[in-house]
Amino acid sequence: MSAAPATPPPASADSTGAGGLDLLLVPPRARTGWRVLPARVAAMCVVELQKLRHDRTELYTRAIQPALWLLIFGETFTRIKLIPSDGIPYLDYLAPGIIAQSTMFIAIFYGIQIIWERDSGVLTKLLVTPTPRAALVTGKAFAAGVKAMIQAVVVMVIAALLGVSMTWNPLRLAGVIVAVLLGSAFFSCLSVTIAGIVLTRDRLMGIGQAITMPLFFASNALYPTTAMPAWLQYVSAVNPLSYQVDALRGLLLGVPSHLPLDFAVLFAATAIGITAASVLLGRLAR
Amino acid sequence: MRDGTPTTGDAVTCTGLRYSFGQTRAVDGVDLTVTAGEVFGLLGPNGAGKTTAIRCVTTLLPVPSGMVRVFGHDAATEKMAVRRLLGYVPQQLSADASLTGRENVSLFARVFDVPRRERAGRVGQALEAVGLADAADRMAGTYSGGMVRRLELAQALVSAPRLLMLDEPTIGLDPIARTSVWEHIMAVRAATGMTVLVTTHYMDEAEQYCDRVALMHKGRVRALGTPERLIADLRERRGDGSVPTLEDVFRDVAGSGLDEEGGEFRDVRRTRNTASRVG
Ligand SMILES: Nc1ncnc2c1ncn2[C@@H]1O[C@H](COP(=O)(O)OP(=O)(O)O)[C@@H](O)[C@H]1O
Ligand SMILES: [Mg+2]
């Protein structure tokens, strides 16, 4: 980045020659082993942050829906006391559910971005870099988590403004971050997996829209599983969203929860998601 | 220029390269060798199989082991080693419009493991090498077609590849942008000594810039050599004293019916898509 003549000199006598290509003659030393994965995850997250810095409209528009859920649904049902909520105000009970729901909505459509990157050649080129498929998928999954984290903070601020009292214990907040990242990683991998099967943006959009609401309603985000009919309880028991909500509730509100089980399920689901998405990513490239 | 590591003198070796999409035999038994340091052109009309062949070399399409080697590394079994040697610019415009030029190049510096303290310097040099230093902090979405191509060249250069693979680098560009893209390719090549494998269906470009060319038609290589040699051979065969062009050579080896068969609908549509995106 120095002021230099437009055309590079054919041979640079001094290695520091301004405007030369001296740095481009030697390939960088390859990272190997375990170092590759964190480096790729960081690279993908940096890109996601850069994009958000250039265009923040998505952040604002994404805040509307969860705000409405808390403001209208939450306030109303707090007043009419129809839903059992473990002895805390319903709005408090609902807030972690909305954090999980709104971050899931972002993640479930992440595959659309992947298909767009496929169509535009961005993905093609990333697949020709020294990045194993699994590292690329993991990187993308956590890049989706960057958006989800920001969304979670926004929802928490809205909830706090509405008078929900949440924890400020840093350890518990760290747990919240992990739960949000894992949930988002799982759902974005689910999305990429579906993208790898259906291959087009329109179909993925349709499937995404078809499954988000069922995933949301068949979870404990809005009401406790004990209030569900038996068949729905079974669905909820295999829905990772329920475990994420349970963890968030336990961490943020201090209500009884099953943290070890929740995190075990979230880790396992993420691992399975990354594996499935890595296998199917190749189909997108063909 | 080349780091003294002992490798074979060949940048790319394809042995009986084949690839089919269902019933379509896109590449149908191609043997060719790209020598280190040369500019090698893969020529042919739309649908000839150039892109498919390139994608087999880049490890994007799976090939059996032994078919493709890049500087001695097998594209089937040593994917990571092959990718580290490659700088690849696909046929579609592949820069991210929602990032700046510099951010686009930085991403590739990161995924090729350029250490942090070298990153800014390398990225700056790559952008300068393609004449984009002044536009580096603008969004790539505001670039012209020629600038996007040069940005992609910078993305490919930042990892100091030994083999630059360019798929139709000038497709859809106006003549001035075409010349500019080629001049930057040739300047970089002169400064770094890297091998260049390029596909194009513009015969005039190939004649002007390529050391050797392979003429591809329907998945097969129909002729291979320096443009001068191929032209001289045809001139001899014709024996009427007229000076043929590379295009005449192509018509000669591909046989008649080129006009009717040159590319199916989808091939033409793809080409147009790329061209209109370049706009
Ligand atoms: N993804 C694909 N699916 C099915 N057929 C394809 C695909 N890509 C290319 N083809 C077919 O393979 C043949 C060669 O295409 P391609 O390699 O793109 O040619 P070129 O790059 O020379 O224009 C064409 O007949 C094309 O229709
Ligand atoms: Mg092509």
Side-chain angles (χ1 to χ4, degrees):
Chain A
M1 276 178 297
S2 43
T7 42
S12 47
D14 295 308
S15 60
T16 49
L21 291 177
D22 53 311
L23 290 176
L24 302 184
L25 296 176
V26 191
R29 271 254 315 276
R31 280 196 186 87
T32 51
W34 66 269
R35 289 182 188 84
V36 176
L37 186 63
R40 297 301 182 271
V41 170
M44 301 304 155
C45 291
V46 166
V47 167
E48 208 63 52
L49 283 170
Q50 286 170 336
K51 286 188 180 174
L52 284 173
R53 202 161 47 97
H54 292 310
D55 186 1
R56 295 199 190 85
T57 42
E58 195 186 337
L59 289 185
Y60 301 134
T61 52
R62 291 260 190 213
I64 296 172
Q65 269 215 18
L68 290 180
W69 273 104
L70 290 175
L71 206 65
I72 297 173
F73 195 86
E75 295 279 16
T76 310
F77 279 77
T78 303
R79 223 149 283 160
I80 58 181
K81 298 197 172 68
L82 215 56
I83 302 174
S85 52
D86 294 348
I88 52 172
Y90 181 67
L91 188 64
D92 294 29
Y93 182 86
L94 180 67
I98 296 302
I99 293 176
Q101 176 245 30
S102 63
T103 55
M104 175 191 77
F105 275 23
I106 295 180
I108 213 97
F109 291 106
Y110 199 71
I112 292 177
Q113 187 174 329
I114 299 286
I115 290 185
W116 183 84
E117 288 186 359
R118 189 271 313 262
D119 292 342
S120 70
V122 175
L123 180 68
T124 313
K125 234 160 49 174
L126 283 175
L127 286 169
V128 185
T129 64
T131 307
R133 295 273 152 87
L136 187 58
V137 167
T138 311
K140 289 290 185 189
F142 284 96
V146 168
K147 269 191 200 168
M149 271 316 304
I150 296 173
Q151 177 77 1
V153 171
V154 170
V155 179
M156 281 170 72
V157 169
I158 297 173
L161 288 177
L162 293 176
V164 176
S165 56
M166 287 168 294
T167 184
W168 293 109
N169 177 334
L171 253 168
R172 281 169 175 271
L173 287 180
V176 168
I177 293 175
V178 175
V180 168
L181 284 180
L182 287 177
S184 157
F186 167 73
F187 285 112
S188 58
C189 285
L190 178 67
S191 177
V192 174
T193 304
I194 298 171
I197 295 169
V198 303
L199 299 177
T200 70
R201 198 186 326 204
D202 294 345
R203 284 184 228 150
L204 178 61
M205 191 74 149
I207 293 179
Q209 259 149 11
I211 63 174
T212 42
M213 280 304 169
L215 278 169
F216 178 38
F217 289 127
S219 80
N220 54 0
L222 292 176
Y223 28 70
T225 43
T226 47
M228 295 177 183
W231 66 270
L232 198 55
Q233 291 189 16
Y234 290 120
V235 182
S236 172
V238 295
N239 183 353
L241 189 66
S242 290
Y243 298 87
Q244 193 192 11
V245 172
D246 190 68
L248 290 177
R249 232 167 239 154
L251 290 164
L252 283 172
L253 307 175
V255 296
S257 57
H258 322 77
L259 290 181
L261 173 68
D262 294 338
F263 279 100
V265 170
L266 287 174
F267 269 109
T270 304
I272 294 170
I274 289 175
T275 311
S278 312
V279 170
L280 285 162
L281 191 69
R283 259 173 66 86
L284 276 174
R286 252 163 249 177
Chain B
M1 314 234 156
R2 242 147 280 149
D3 53 344
T5 46
T7 43
T8 56
D10 295 332
V12 182
T13 331
C14 298
T15 322
L17 177 61
R18 272 168 221 287
Y19 196 90
S20 300
F21 294 99
Q23 296 295 309
T24 318
R25 281 196 207 156
V27 177
D28 192 11
V30 163
D31 295 293
L32 60 81
T33 301
V34 178
T35 311
E38 74 178 340
V39 178
F40 189 96
L42 203 50
L43 271 60
N46 295 329
K50 308 179 295 291
T51 297
T52 308
I54 289 275
R55 282 166 24 110
C56 288
V57 178
T58 59
T59 75
L60 273 172
L61 294 175
V63 290
S65 103
M67 252 186 201
V68 176
R69 289 182 164 275
V70 178
F71 290 102
H73 297 284
D74 193 308
T77 55
E78 301 169 82
K79 285 200 173 93
M80 291 302 145
V82 168
R83 292 181 195 168
R84 284 202 181 273
L85 298 168
L86 291 182
Y88 171 50
V89 179
Q91 185 169 335
Q92 318 105 290
L93 292 187
S94 61
D96 200 322
S98 49
L99 294 173
T100 66
R102 193 183 306 283
E103 287 164 350
N104 264 294
V105 181
S106 290
L107 168 61
F108 279 78
R110 283 199 177 86
V111 293
F112 274 94
D113 299 328
V114 173
R116 184 201 299 263
R117 69 197 130 73
E118 272 180 41
R119 205 179 296 142
R122 260 188 204 258
V123 170
Q125 284 198 354
L127 284 161
E128 209 149 274
V130 299
L132 285 178
D134 292 336
D137 294 310
R138 266 167 53 193
M139 301 296 281
T142 68
Y143 284 13
S144 69
M147 287 167 84
V148 173
R149 271 304 190 222
R150 285 188 275 135
L151 175 59
E152 293 177 302
L153 195 56
Q155 288 181 294
L157 289 176
V158 79
S159 57
R162 293 179 65 195
L163 171 63
L164 193 55
M165 311 234 317
L166 310 166
D167 197 354
E168 309 262 12
T170 55
I171 196 165
L173 299 183
D174 64 70
I176 293 172
R178 273 168 68 177
T179 310
S180 159
V181 166
W182 270 110
E183 274 170 1
H184 284 100
I185 296 171
M186 298 316 272
V188 163
R189 187 253 187 161
T192 62
M194 60 181 66
T195 312
V196 181
L197 172 54
V198 59
T199 78
T200 179
H201 64 264
Y202 299 123
M203 303 284 165
D204 53 327
E205 286 183 352
E207 204 172 327
Q208 190 175 352
Y209 299 107
C210 294
D211 298 321
R212 286 197 309 146
V213 296
L215 305 187
M216 245 185 124
H217 184 48
K218 292 187 183 170
R220 298 219 169 109
V221 170
R222 302 300 169 110
L224 199 153
T226 64
E228 300 78 35
R229 184 75 253 152
L230 293 175
I231 289 170
D233 284 352
L234 178 63
R235 192 176 177 185
E236 229 164 76
R237 254 177 289 147
R238 278 186 177 170
D240 60 1
S242 66
V243 183
T245 63
L246 203 51
E247 196 166 327
D248 297 325
V249 176
F250 199 90
R251 284 178 189 287
D252 185 64
V253 297
S256 60
L258 247 191
D259 297 337
E260 299 95 80
E261 296 169 34
E264 293 163 21
F265 181 74
R266 60 175 292 161
D267 302 319
V268 176
R269 190 178 54 186
R270 269 194 207 182
T271 311
R272 291 230 178 111
N273 280 348
T274 310
S276 66
R277 285 198 61 212
V278 179

